[in-house]
């Protein structure tokens, strides 16, 4: 699950959020902070498994446990997830099954600090056979300790991709107080930034996966590879001399394209670039950095360029990473390094 139920006190709006997230029917009783079932709105018995705790507040963990069978019975997968991942995997991908976008989860492609990537069977009516699903891990299992470095200067967005304004008091109050609802809003914004970035870059002609759909905890995108083998990351590939230089230029073209539109990847290296049939694909964009509103932007850009050039240097391609970073910055960014426009 992606809720830290033991750390935060859930307020009224969070119960509505959890009910929608876990697809509880309107007939399902959800206890409110006053110990009353949400459905009744007056004195009544607690919902099954939802007994108030010692402070008189409901045991929401027990209430959600009652909803778990609904997720487990929703659809079966060829891939057999570990026990800890089964609930969040099915919870995250069930909406895409309901929307007739995927039929099955075939394999785990990649496990990461923030998210896992799964190979999915596309629904028959789609023009692709295979789809990649990036599913974010529950917050307690993620490693995003330095995400504030990248989030500086980025707007918070909701699940519809709409900016959360400072005057949106309920949302901003929850975020500032670090309630469970606020943490979920922050998580949603992190995920939506990746989807929005992917969509924007794909339309600009960048070498990125095509985004297909987004949900509360996952992104569907085009899959790179075949049924038996996913595309390897560039780090594990020894390039032929004739292809190393043009591929280096292609990666640098993508870095320049992003910067020309105010974006920096933020974690680019040979580990976040796929290689398949002579082409590269850049992946992993949740930490995308805004070039003119983040004090760390130049340092982040410089690090991205250095890491890319270090890999290609091992492939026999000589590039001056620092000179490239300075040239790109001078051409596309209106501020000096360490400063922001606003």
């Amino acid at each position: 699950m992606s809720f830290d139920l033991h750390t935060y006190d859930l307020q009224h709006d969070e119960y509505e959020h959890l009910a929608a997230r876990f697809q509880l029917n309107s007939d399902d009783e959800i206890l409110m902070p006053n110990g009353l079932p949400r459905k009744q709105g007056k004195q009544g018995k607690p919902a099954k498994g939802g007994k108030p705790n010692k402070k008189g507040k409901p045991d929401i963990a027990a209430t959600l446990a009652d909803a778990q069978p609904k997720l487990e019975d929703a659809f079966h997968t060829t891939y057999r997830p570990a026990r800890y991942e089964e609930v969040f995997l099915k919870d995250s991908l069930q909406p895409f099954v309901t929307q007739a976008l995927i039929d099955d989860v075939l394999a785990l492609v990649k496990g990461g600090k923030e998210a896992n990537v799964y190979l999915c069977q596309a629904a028959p009516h789609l023009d692709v056979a295979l789809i990649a699903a990036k599913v974010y891990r529950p917050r307690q299992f993620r490693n995003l300790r330095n995400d504030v470095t990248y989030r500086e200067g980025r707007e918070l967005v909701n699940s519809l991709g709409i900016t959360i304004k400072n005057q949106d008091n309920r949302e901003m109050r929850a975020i500032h107080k670090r309630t469970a609802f606020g943490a979920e809003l922050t998580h949603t914004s992190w995920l939506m930034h990746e989807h929005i970035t992917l969509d924007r870059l794909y339309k600009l002609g960048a070498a990125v996966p095509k985004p297909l759909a987004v949900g509360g905890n996952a992104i569907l995108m085009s899959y790179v590879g075949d049924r038996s083998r996913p595309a390897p990351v560039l780090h594990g590939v020894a390039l032929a001399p004739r292809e190393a230089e043009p591929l280096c230029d292609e990666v640098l073209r993508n870095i320049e394209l992003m910067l020309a539109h105010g974006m920096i990847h933020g974690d680019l290296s040979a580990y976040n670039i796929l290689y398949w049939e002579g082409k590269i694909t850049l992946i992993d964009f949740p930490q995308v950095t805004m070039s003119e509103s983040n004090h760390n932007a130049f340092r982040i850009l410089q690090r991205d360029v250095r890491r890319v050039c270090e890999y290609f240097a091992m492939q026999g391609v000589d590039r001056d990473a620092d000179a490239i970073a300075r040239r790109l910055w001078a051409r596309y960014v209106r501020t000096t390094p360490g400063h922001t426009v606003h």
Side-chain angles (χ1 to χ4, degrees):
M1 301 286 183
S2 58
F3 297 98
D4 187 349
L5 300 171
H6 302 288
T7 303
Y8 302 101
D9 290 332
L10 302 179
Q11 302 301 320
H12 183 280
D13 54 357
E14 294 168 313
Y15 278 77
E16 296 175 342
H17 173 68
L18 291 172
R21 176 68 184 277
F22 288 91
Q23 300 176 348
L24 299 178
N25 298 325
S26 58
D27 292 335
D28 291 327
E29 291 183 338
I30 302 177
L31 291 176
M32 301 305 294
N34 61 5
L36 300 178
R38 165 98 178 141
K39 169 185 147 182
Q40 296 177 349
K42 58 183 179 180
Q43 186 64 38
K45 296 181 180 180
K48 182 180 179 181
K51 295 180 181 180
N53 60 23
K54 293 180 180 180
K55 295 182 180 180
K57 294 183 179 180
D59 186 350
I60 188 63
T63 302
L64 292 180
D66 289 343
Q68 181 172 329
K70 299 182 180 186
L71 302 176
E72 293 176 342
D73 297 340
F75 70 102
H76 299 283
T77 65
T78 298
Y79 169 69
R80 297 302 179 193
R83 287 187 62 188
Y84 81 91
E85 70 175 316
E86 183 173 9
V87 174
F88 80 80
L89 173 62
K90 292 187 175 181
D91 171 36
S92 300
L93 296 185
Q94 175 62 46
F96 303 124
V97 176
T98 303
Q99 297 167 33
L101 295 174
I102 61 173
D103 283 347
D104 192 5
V105 180
L106 302 175
L108 173 66
V109 173
K110 174 187 175 184
K113 295 177 293 183
E114 299 93 17
N116 292 344
V117 178
Y118 299 89
L119 172 61
C120 298
Q121 181 68 51
H125 67 90
L126 299 180
D127 58 2
V128 294
L130 302 173
I131 290 175
K134 182 171 185 178
V135 180
Y136 274 79
R137 297 163 64 86
R139 286 199 306 272
Q140 61 267 37
F141 298 129
R142 289 188 222 139
N143 182 14
L144 292 176
R145 290 172 295 180
N146 298 319
D147 65 334
V148 66
T149 300
Y150 308 104
R151 287 192 288 108
E152 180 192 343
R154 291 197 333 191
E155 295 178 325
L156 286 166
V157 295
N158 62 22
S159 60
L160 299 177
I162 299 172
T163 301
I164 299 174
K165 303 292 185 181
N166 287 332
Q167 58 265 33
D168 294 336
N169 294 328
R170 185 172 71 97
E171 287 84 357
M172 295 308 296
R173 186 168 61 249
I175 291 169
H176 291 151
K177 290 185 176 181
R178 299 183 179 181
T179 67
F181 179 55
E184 190 68 11
L185 287 172
T186 302
H187 159 70
T188 297
S189 181
W190 185 262
L191 178 145
M192 287 303 300
H193 267 292
E194 175 160 29
H195 178 261
I196 292 169
T197 300
L198 267 180
D199 185 63
R200 188 179 178 193
L201 288 176
Y202 182 80
K203 292 175 180 176
L204 287 170
V208 300
K210 179 181 180 180
L212 302 174
V214 62
N217 198 51
I219 302 173
L220 296 189
M221 63 189 78
S222 57
Y223 172 72
V224 185
D226 58 29
R227 187 176 291 269
S228 62
R229 184 169 70 101
V233 296
L234 198 57
H235 176 78
V237 177
L239 297 174
R242 67 180 181 278
E243 61 180 348
E245 188 165 359
L247 286 180
C248 179
D249 291 339
E250 172 65 358
V251 176
L252 294 175
R253 179 189 75 85
N254 279 269
I255 293 175
E256 182 170 0
L257 177 65
M258 291 189 68
L259 192 64
H261 292 84
M263 296 175 284
I264 302 168
H265 184 284
D267 192 28
L268 191 61
S269 72
Y271 290 96
N272 284 330
I273 302 173
L274 303 180
Y275 174 85
W276 189 253
E277 297 181 345
K279 298 181 179 180
I280 56 98
T281 303
L282 278 62
I283 59 172
D284 293 341
F285 293 91
Q287 69 292 314
V288 65
T289 301
M290 301 296 102
S291 62
E292 294 190 343
S293 57
N294 188 311
H295 289 85
N296 302 294
F298 179 74
R299 179 179 59 82
I300 294 171
L301 171 68
Q302 188 178 51
R303 184 183 63 191
D304 280 0
V305 176
R306 283 176 177 174
R307 287 176 174 176
V308 167
C309 290
E310 285 170 2
Y311 166 79
F312 282 103
M314 294 187 294
Q315 308 299 316
V317 180
D318 184 21
R319 292 287 190 274
D320 186 336
D322 290 347
I324 292 171
R326 289 193 299 269
R327 174 178 60 80
L328 293 178
W329 186 271
R331 181 173 182 180
Y332 295 109
V333 185
R334 295 175 292 171
T335 66
T336 55
H339 296 79
T340 61
V341 171
H342 303 296

